[in-house]
Amino acid sequence: MSFNEKLSNAINEQVTLELEAAITYLQLSYALDDLGLTGMRDWMRKQSDEELEHAAKFSQHLLDRGIRTQILDIPAPKVTINSARDAFEASLEHERKVTNAIRNLAAIQAEVEDWDSRGLIDWFLDEQIEEESTVSEILDRLDIVGNDGSGILRIDAELGER
């Protein structure tokens, strides 16, 4: 089975980006734990786990098609978190980075006419709409409560139930 090298390289880059996202979410969970927001910490840890699943999904697509997965360099997350809002802004920024990369994958997939990758990439395009929407809604709620500690704790408790 043939596989376009440009697309396989881009998918390998996406595997690496998904692993970077997992590490970023893990770092955000540490920062939220330090702030005493254990529900938000747990939410971020679940996001980290989900990003690992995403990396595995891309990797398995390559492996199923006879292409070796190669993890590239993953930079350490550079985030400064002083509040729940900071953490979710960093999350949204990273999700937007991932969305742009997946859109690039879609463009490459169409360019090289690799129709066997279309379903996978379409699934991720839909997933990114959901990811960005979820984080944006959390940010909206944090804006509503502002610096009200009881409001932040309520959101923290709700996110911890995920």
Side-chain angles (χ1 to χ4, degrees):
M1 185 180 304
S2 68
F3 200 101
N4 180 278
E5 185 177 349
K6 182 177 181 179
L7 183 58
S8 68
N9 288 341
I11 292 176
N12 269 314
E13 289 172 8
Q14 190 65 41
V15 168
T16 302
L17 185 57
E18 297 292 342
L19 294 172
E20 179 185 328
I23 292 168
T24 299
Y25 274 115
L26 193 57
Q27 182 65 55
L28 293 173
S29 79
Y30 297 156
L32 289 164
D33 193 355
D34 190 49
L35 293 172
L37 298 169
T38 57
M40 292 180 191
R41 172 205 63 202
D42 293 348
W43 190 92
M44 292 289 184
R45 285 186 182 164
K46 287 183 179 153
Q47 282 298 110
S48 178
D49 292 344
E50 189 174 289
E51 300 300 343
L52 291 174
E53 291 173 13
H54 292 171
K57 196 170 198 166
F58 278 114
S59 177
Q60 194 60 54
H61 181 76
L62 289 176
L63 294 168
D64 287 347
R65 297 187 62 194
I67 305 298
R68 180 174 294 169
T69 300
Q70 180 62 52
I71 299 170
L72 308 172
D73 292 338
I74 301 173
K78 298 205 180 348
V79 293
T80 303
I81 305 302
N82 295 308
S83 67
R85 186 162 212 337
D86 289 347
F88 284 94
E89 284 176 349
S91 170
L92 184 58
E93 180 181 330
H94 200 78
E95 288 298 344
R96 287 178 174 155
K97 179 179 176 180
V98 171
T99 297
N100 287 333
I102 293 171
R103 287 179 183 148
N104 182 56
L105 271 180
I108 294 169
Q109 174 271 316
E111 172 193 328
V112 303
E113 297 182 353
D114 186 292
W115 308 118
D116 296 331
S117 296
R118 185 174 179 170
L120 173 75
I121 294 169
D122 284 348
W123 184 89
F124 275 100
L125 288 168
D126 289 341
E127 175 73 4
Q128 285 309 118
I129 290 170
E130 179 185 322
E131 296 285 359
E132 287 190 35
S133 175
T134 298
V135 177
S136 291
E137 288 172 9
I138 294 168
L139 282 166
D140 288 345
R141 294 178 69 212
L142 288 169
D143 285 344
I144 290 168
V145 300
N147 291 327
D148 176 48
S150 61
I152 292 170
L153 290 175
R154 180 176 174 92
I155 294 169
D156 182 62
E158 289 174 12
L159 292 177
E161 293 174 4
R162 176 182 175 197

